[in-house]
Amino acid sequence: MLARCSRAASSHFFHQLRNNNNSKDAAFKFISHQSYFKAATAAAMAASPILSSQKVFPSNSVVNLDKIFRSKPCSLALAPDSPLRIEEPEYEGIRRFVLKLLLFYSKQSKSIRGANVVYRRIVSQVDRPAIYEVFNLEKTFKMTFSLLVLHMWLCLRRLKQEGKEGVEFGQYIYEIYNHDVELRVSKAGVNLLLTKWMKELEKILYGNIVAYDAAMLPEAKPDELPKVIWRNVFSDDGTTEPDDTASQAIQAYSHLCSFIAMARYVRHEASCLSLTDKEAMFSGNFMFTSLENLSSHARR
């Protein structure tokens, strides 16, 4: 139900940009019957008026993902001696005493710091060029937002396994995410009706989460997750299934299709996160599977 509401809400997104020669602010008007994907691109259009929405089915770059898919899922937790770990700061003497008075070491403060680290891990995976190159994606506002939502869902799904404590921790991550998305929308050029934008993006987030959760249920059909990935990430118009041209390509080159490969990547990351311990999840001392080497191979 929420997934359908998400697509319905997107019809109220604003799409066209009107230039105002007397002002630095851009004025947006609402256009009905616009899909989320076309509408989300409007934010990026403020910075770049020409954005190609064409998707090209991938070359050999996605084949390299087999190296990941063949491997057995394992914990994503960082090793104790990893230079990428971020440890809680430890102070002594008067400084520690003052920080205790300021509740620096309270459970809430620690959770907020941990949530910041977790969100930085998400952003690190989403903002790096590798994920766009490996899956042959354009780095547009709507694409980055789609990937951000996808990786947020992966983390929130894992945290739910920790019960109430995990859900509460996930709320801190959501608040950080919300602030970051607001900054991204503003940076993309949307200065008017920002609150309206954020409400629509929030509906899309929850709609996508419901769709991803349903696609991962044991009783879900095997092709459900690829279809959801197609609709939420790859489709230009929010269609549930690929069109005839894309379907022909899928039938001929199913192992090469980007959205099918991404669905496999998502299942792999979900399995690895389920094996990642609570301490790593709550401190942010984990890393999504690196795609850097695959990206480098694709460029050669």
Side-chain angles (χ1 to χ4, degrees), residues 92-122:
E92 301 296 335
I94 187 66
R95 179 179 291 185
R96 183 178 181 85
F97 176 74
V98 172
L99 289 174
K100 266 193 169 183
L101 292 178
L102 296 174
L103 302 180
F104 180 81
Y105 291 107
S106 68
K107 182 180 179 181
Q108 184 181 36
S109 294
K110 288 183 178 180
S111 294
I112 292 172
R113 288 195 294 275
N116 269 286
V117 178
V118 171
Y119 190 71
R120 283 159 59 184
R121 304 298 188 192
I122 294 172

Side-chain angles (χ1 to χ4, degrees), residues 71-85:
S71 63
K72 186 178 180 180
C74 59
S75 170
L76 298 179
L78 294 171
D81 59 346
S82 171
L84 298 175
R85 288 184 65 90

Side-chain angles (χ1 to χ4, degrees), residues 223-234:
D223 64 345
E224 186 63 26
L225 183 59
K227 285 182 178 180
V228 173
I229 295 287
W230 170 270
R231 183 176 67 241
N232 292 342
V233 180
F234 287 86

Side-chain angles (χ1 to χ4, degrees), residues 52 63 80 84 91 114 119 121 164 167 181 243 268 272 287 297:
S52 171
V63 177
L84 298 175
Y91 300 105
Y119 190 71
R121 304 298 188 192
K164 181 180 178 181
V167 172
V181 169
D243 57 23
H268 181 270
C272 290
M287 294 284 287
H297 186 276

Side-chain angles (χ1 to χ4, degrees), residues 38 48 65 72 93 156 166 184 188 191 193 203 242 281-282:
K38 291 180 180 179
S48 176
L65 287 169
K72 186 178 180 180
L156 295 177
R184 288 172 184 263
N191 298 306
L193 300 173
K203 291 178 183 177
M281 291 303 305
F282 279 68

Side-chain angles (χ1 to χ4, degrees), residues 184-195:
R184 288 172 184 263
V185 171
S186 297
K187 190 180 292 185
V190 178
N191 298 306
L192 298 178
L193 300 173
L194 183 59
T195 301

